[in-house]
């Protein structure tokens, strides 16, 4: 992770995806995720997703080569560059 990116924390999810602290907080506020348990040492969070699944989030300092941090007006987010762009359109 580069130090000039405004991300306080990255999380690795048990679903194989990565999330920023901004994505985590946005999903909690929107009710898409519900907090279940937060462990402080080691720091881990367990959340319930909108489909009823449990997701374990563990802080990490590393992103895999296929993941990219993107920052826009909504904040910082992790994008999986292996996935096709929706509707075949090109990103802006």
């Amino acid at each position: 992770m580069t130090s000039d990116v405004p991300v306080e924390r990255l999380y690795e999810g048990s679903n194989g995806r990565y999330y920023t602290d901004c994505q985590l907080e946005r999903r909690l506020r929107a009710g898409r995720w519900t907090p279940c348990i937060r462990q402080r040492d080691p720091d881990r969070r367990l959340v319930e997703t909108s489909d009823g699944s449990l997701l374990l989030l563990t802080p990490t300092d590393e992103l895999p080569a296929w993941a990219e941090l993107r920052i826009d007006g909504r904040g910082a987010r992790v994008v999986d560059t292996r996935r096709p762009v929706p509707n075949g359109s090109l990103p802006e």
Side-chain angles (χ1 to χ4, degrees):
M1 184 169 79
T2 59
S3 60
D4 59 340
V5 177
V7 174
E8 289 186 29
R9 182 160 281 177
L10 289 171
Y11 293 93
E12 180 178 3
S14 56
N15 60 358
R17 292 182 165 178
Y18 290 78
Y19 304 91
T20 64
D21 50 342
C22 181
Q23 289 176 296
L24 170 65
E25 293 303 322
R26 188 176 327 124
R27 288 180 171 139
L28 289 172
R29 276 194 311 270
R32 291 177 57 197
W33 289 352
T34 305
C36 296
I37 299 171
R38 181 168 185 186
Q39 181 178 353
R40 300 230 184 247
D41 190 21
D43 188 16
R44 297 185 288 192
R45 293 177 179 228
L46 185 66
V47 296
E48 180 182 5
T49 63
S50 57
D51 67 357
S53 300
L54 292 176
L55 177 63
L56 180 64
L57 300 166
T58 307
T60 184
D61 291 328
E62 301 291 326
L63 283 176
W66 50 261
E68 180 179 291
L69 277 175
R70 294 195 185 157
I71 301 167
D72 57 23
R74 297 174 292 168
R77 61 193 166 98
V78 177
V79 175
D80 185 341
T81 58
R82 301 173 299 177
R83 295 175 189 228
V85 176
N87 302 325
S89 61
L90 295 174
E92 298 177 0

